Amino acid sequence: MKRFILPLLWLLLGHVSFAGIVLDEPVIQMNGSEPQYLKFVGTNSENNYRFTLDTYQDDGLKFRLTLDRINEKSPAYFTLDDLNDENYWEPMFRQYTKQLAGEEMLAQNNIKQIYVNGVALLDNQFAGYCDALKYVEINASGNYEIPDGCFAKGTAKNYSIKQIICNVEGTLTLGNNVVDANAGGLTVSTSKAAVAQVWYDYKTSNNAAFALLLNNEAYEGGYDANAPAITGVNATYTINETASNISIPNMGISVSTTQYGTASSFVLNSFTATTTGNVTEVFMDYAVYPEGHGGEQHSWTQIHATANGDGTWTANSNVNLMAGLASNTTYVFECAFNTNPSDKGDRAHYPTDGSHIRITFTTGEMPSNFVMDEPVIEMNGSDPSYIKFVGTNAANNYRYTLDTYQDDGIKFRLTLDRIDPTKPAAVTLADIVDENYWEPLFSRYTLALAGFEMLARNNIKKLIVNDVALLPNQFVDYCDAMKEVSINAEGDYNIPNGLFAQIDAENYGIKKLVCFVGGDLTLGDGVVEPTAGGLTVYTYLEDIARTWYDYKKNNSAAFVIYLNDEPYVPSDPAIVSVSTVYTVNGTTKTQAIPNAGEEVNDDAFNGITSFVLNSFTAATTGDVTEVFMDYDIFEDGLDGRQNQWKQMYATANGDGTWTASTPINVLAGLDSNTTYSLVISFNTNPGDYGRAHFPTNGSHIRIHFTTGDLTTGIDAMQTGFVTDKSEIYDLQGRRVNTNYKGIVIQGGKKFLK
């Protein structure tokens, strides 16, 4: 892959000291003369946000816009001045396209995805994007407002947004007309019950057509804002043999322990939390890390409390917080308290503002983390034939073994093993500076044996990790020499940011990465070098192969994936057949839908006074998680997009078929003696492996029909008993049985039963 910067483009888009938005150097990666990856970044330090406009692959090159808050402790926002700044993404996009493509293009006509992370937006800011935009994701750690008209148009004619993901930890506020109320193809999704309720209230108040999902299930309201809650926390700990009792503040402030001087011991004895509402569990998340390093870089541990039966919860933990720490180093103990994600409300946090409590302390002289076994050195004459040394870190629950193996000469391998399978095992920053960590030990060993110091990172050819959590970038310097990596875990496992990556892949040595994870695998950013075409990832689990596939796709990576020793290709979703059941003028028929988008003609559709689309069944193959029908009804000669497209979702039958059985009264609101078209198509989920369509050519199926006299909808009403044996319907077009009481329709006539 060749990367270069267009000189004239850089002159146009380079750093401008007087502008509110300062630009990074743009990145343009080409495949021959065609763009393969594009990225430019603008930072507004005064308004505390950064925008990234880059591309991703989804059936061709697509653009996405990401807005990030820089400092989480300060607000991030747009102003009208930003919109007029020469380095705002719109003018920059025009300049960029002019240079690269020879003509100016508009970002608002090309951006398909927008990600907003804690940045406040302006009224109507993205209203002009709604013809092209497909996906919006909004995340905020505190309160957030989506302002007036932000993602709305005056009409839904070309409204293209299909999904809005909205996860706000604090209070969500929705302005007026934030989305187009008539956009029936839109789905709003969230994992927060309080957020779902706000969208539900908006939908109800505006009679909006979008679908609303909470944790991937349809949400119909009913959130209880009073449950659950943590109202106070008290903790006891012992520093330097002195016990302290502290009431944890609810504002996420730091708690100083400088009165204890240098800490030689620090034990978290217990904590007690007071709760209200529907609470079924309480736990503390905590991490200990060197000052100046974010807690997100380290493994978090949970301590679960026990209910006392009076609204309080207690954990007698007696956790040694200094286990595995380095000498004479300042550390941060960071914690927060949480409840279960209740059915009646979102998970409660303490502090309630979503922040954490931090206690800073400094260690004294600490013993070594590692206990060393006696090294094994076997010689064949004057040359070593086998070398092995082992370090055990009981506090962090792992053991490393650095030994040799024969592979066209003597080679070094490093194995990391979890000791106690019931407890987490993790490498910490303190381990890396320990005198018995394998790097300094390897240097001492080679000096003694060979007469000069060598580096382990330049000699280890094989790495085996068995359920031990690693640090970001931990093996980035090993990638020139390392040839093979094996990662094994019984449960969930995270491969952190930059673990096996380099800035360039020129000397990238890793050829084989074997990954066997029994739970969920999470891949951080830059876990391997994306341009390393000589790398192959092996696994025998489809979920793990799919995770690597997603990473490869999102990063335009060059490595190869094998599942069970076969090249892995995800199963694209497909709809292979569809049939519908409809009732016209009291006669029910089953119709197999053609897969060529052709018209369906039937004499039964002429002069009709009742037309109910009862159900449809679709047969699918591949990776399908949802099936739905898009349909519209419009007068012949008109474009269906001028009307309101609607969706009917199907339910999985578990055998590769999906059925929707919600009757649709096709004639509702139509005129008498008029020719109409019912236009339908069928689709699957917009998954990472492609959306499937039926008809497969992307067209629609059209059913033409002519209405009869709909002024009454039927013949004059009759009273008495129904004697006809044809189907019976209520006034909404739903089929009923003979026990139904009230006005019914049968055989095109109205009866009062």
Side-chain angles (χ1 to χ4, degrees), residues 231-235 246-255 335-337 350-353 355-359:
T231 58
V233 176
N234 184 281
I246 183 171
S247 178
I248 300 293
N250 192 19
M251 298 301 293
I253 62 176
S254 297
V255 181
C335 66
F337 302 86
Y350 190 96
T352 53
D353 63 358
S355 59
H356 290 166
I357 296 100
R358 294 173 178 86
I359 299 177

Side-chain angles (χ1 to χ4, degrees), residues 261-266 288 321-322 325-331 361-366:
T262 300
S264 58
S265 65
F266 187 177
V288 179
L321 298 176
M322 296 183 66
L325 302 189
S327 302
N328 306 312
T329 305
T330 300
Y331 285 92
F361 63 96
T362 302
T363 61
E365 199 64 37
M366 302 293 293

